[in-house]
Amino acid sequence: CSNAGCGHDSQDCSAVFLSEEFHGFSSLLFVWQDALYILSKYQDNDGSSVSYSFASAEVIGTVMGMDGSCAVLYRANLDGTGREAVYSFDASLAVEDWVIGDDTSLYLVTKEVSAEKDELDTYYNSVDRKLICLDPASGETRDICSMEFEDSVPWDVKGCYDRTLVLKCTDYGRTLSNEEMFDDDDAYKEIYEKSKDVYATLALDDPQLVIRYSQDNKNQNSALIDGNMLYLSSSGDGIVRGMDLKTGEEQVICSRSGGFYYLLKKIGDKLCCHNETWDYTYDYIDVNTGE
């Protein structure tokens, strides 16, 4: 707010967002095409389990947005003024926690979230996941493709480059039941250690899933996506690798026998990491020299 006399305590202030319209912890803010956008949305709880011993049906319904509220996309000037709603999603749809944009349109994944109850728990799972294209100027949308591929594995968007999405899934080799997914830690740990983390690409102009890399989860793994580069670290061999998703070329950046780096983010030409001690020290690895 640029008004020096404003108390910042009413809806007339450009810096005030009413909680009835903008849901805390789940709404997204981003800059695109020289404007500030706010995607107001509920947390959808997809892939989670809620026990009625800890939460009432009323609370679950509110978190899920089952009260009829819908996700809304707002646009404002970069200084926060001129805020207006530019698109309202169908109330039956949940919107996932990412947005990407090209010169004219935004791309998002929408879905419906179903609830399955047993004696104690309610399990939330998504159905009819779609990648859509939204033109905020016209308010028109179109479907790009289904996000439910033939392998029936839930793929999540983790990054993008050019006009290509980078996706990730955990492949257990079969479909797990809700009870297996949320069983005690030891049972799930055994299932998880037999699974693989798989990375794939999906071109917006030719939406065919292309598998690019997989890692066995018997080891402790970490991955970082930066544009078309996939950086990988594994406790199995202590190697940090870089893979160009465009060309498929793979290189060893550095090796640390018996060690493991958890990859946090990329700053310039450096990978910012934690080592396996998980203290408050950051390690930086030069992707060009391996130092």
Side-chain angles (χ1 to χ4, degrees):
C1 177
S2 59
N3 184 355
C6 182
H8 316 302
D9 54 4
S10 75
Q11 60 183 341
D12 295 326
C13 172
S14 62
V16 170
F17 295 78
L18 298 181
S19 58
E20 293 83 0
E21 299 178 33
F22 300 92
H23 312 294
F25 306 107
S26 58
S27 294
L28 307 178
L29 286 84
F30 59 95
V31 172
W32 178 70
Q33 302 291 60
D34 296 323
L36 174 66
Y37 284 82
I38 308 100
L39 177 59
S40 173
K41 56 186 285 298
Y42 277 102
Q43 180 181 349
D44 60 57
N45 276 15
D46 183 17
S48 68
S49 170
V50 178
S51 172
Y52 278 100
S53 61
F54 297 101
S56 69
E58 181 180 357
V59 171
I60 295 170
T62 300
V63 171
M64 290 298 298
M66 293 178 180
D67 59 356
S69 297
C70 61
V72 180
L73 180 68
Y74 293 83
R75 179 176 56 217
N77 299 320
L78 291 177
D79 63 358
T81 61
R83 186 197 313 161
E84 60 178 346
V86 294
Y87 187 80
S88 296
F89 293 83
D90 189 283
S92 66
L93 297 178
V95 183
E96 295 193 350
D97 292 336
W98 63 271
V99 184
I100 63 172
D102 60 17
D103 292 339
T104 61
S105 303
L106 299 174
Y107 298 84
L108 312 96
V109 166
T110 62
K111 59 192 175 184
E112 296 180 14
V113 179
S114 63
E116 180 181 340
K117 298 180 181 180
D118 63 15
E119 293 181 357
L120 294 176
D121 302 310
T122 297
Y123 303 101
Y124 295 101
N125 294 291
S126 61
V127 294
D128 197 24
R129 292 179 72 220
K130 292 180 181 179
L131 175 64
I132 69 164
C133 175
L134 166 63
D135 180 352
S138 66
E140 296 180 351
T141 64
R142 60 182 174 91
D143 294 347
I144 301 295
C145 67
S146 170
M147 293 294 287
E148 297 172 353
F149 302 100
E150 292 181 0
D151 54 17
S152 300
V153 176
W155 290 88
D156 295 319
V157 178
K158 295 297 183 182
C160 66
Y161 63 91
D162 298 337
R163 293 185 56 77
T164 302
L165 303 184
V166 183
L167 312 182
K168 176 189 175 184
C169 80
T170 300
D171 186 356
Y172 299 96
R174 60 183 178 86
T175 302
L176 300 186
S177 66
N178 288 323
E179 290 74 18
E180 286 178 310
M181 285 293 295
F182 297 100
D183 205 342
D184 63 86
D185 292 342
D186 291 338
Y188 177 74
K189 180 181 178 182
E190 182 178 349
I191 295 173
Y192 180 76
E193 288 178 347
K194 296 178 181 178
S195 70
K196 295 182 178 181
D197 282 343
V198 184
Y199 297 87
T201 55
L202 184 76
L204 292 175
D205 301 319
D206 182 21
Q208 304 296 318
L209 193 69
V210 180
I211 305 299
R212 298 295 185 181
Y213 197 88
S214 66
Q215 281 183 305
D216 290 330
N217 284 324
K218 63 183 178 181
N219 301 312
Q220 189 176 6
N221 298 320
S222 179
L224 174 66
I225 296 166
D226 181 72
N228 61 294
M229 291 301 299
L230 171 63
Y231 297 99
L232 303 137
S233 174
S234 174
S235 63
D237 54 17
I239 293 177
V240 176
R241 296 174 171 84
M243 180 182 180
D244 189 327
L245 294 169
K246 286 184 178 180
T247 65
E249 181 181 353
E250 183 180 334
Q251 62 176 338
V252 173
I253 296 175
C254 70
S255 178
R256 184 183 180 204
S257 178
F260 171 70
Y261 286 110
Y262 185 85
L263 309 178
L264 297 173
K265 56 186 173 181
K266 187 167 179 278
I267 303 175
D269 289 336
K270 308 292 192 298
L271 297 176
C272 177
C273 319
H274 274 311
N275 60 37
E276 72 278 1
T277 61
W278 284 98
D279 59 14
Y280 293 98
T281 302
Y282 292 100
D283 293 322
Y284 292 85
I285 302 171
D286 190 309
V287 298
N288 298 313
T289 66
E291 181 182 358

